[in-house]
Amino acid sequence: RADVLGDELAATEDLERALALAPDDPDLLLPLLDAYYSRRDTGRAIELSLRVMQAVPMGVAAYATVAHRAADSALARGEHSLA
């Protein structure tokens, strides 16, 4: 949709709808993870981090980056057992 350019919320909503159709698509999971992490939606960031680590083949450095985001989000929520 052309009307989402510059509108992060609308873009996120469109990505969420697309993710419902392709739940393991890294081209959807990764930008959504970035969006939720940057706006401190820690619950969704944790959920997406776990999905990325399970569904997206990646090297050790990329895996560690995603794992750190999940841990940071869990700590911010007080969910120390997830960190």
Side-chain angles (χ1 to χ4, degrees):
R1 290 181 2 191
D3 61 327
V4 300
L5 188 61
D7 184 344
E8 184 179 333
L9 184 58
T12 301
E13 290 170 355
D14 283 353
L15 285 169
E16 286 285 6
R17 280 192 289 281
L19 188 65
L21 301 172
D24 294 329
D25 187 335
D27 292 329
L28 303 171
L29 286 166
L30 294 169
L32 275 171
L33 171 57
D34 287 341
Y36 286 113
Y37 184 79
S38 69
R39 68 179 183 218
R40 305 286 188 244
D41 185 335
T42 54
R44 189 69 172 135
I46 292 168
E47 180 185 334
L48 289 168
S49 295
L50 296 174
R51 286 176 66 182
V52 166
M53 289 187 291
Q54 293 173 350
V56 179
M58 62 182 96
V60 174
Y63 189 90
T65 299
V66 172
H68 284 137
R69 284 193 172 194
D72 288 346
S73 296
L75 291 172
R77 291 177 61 88
E79 297 180 25
H80 300 278
S81 64
L82 289 176

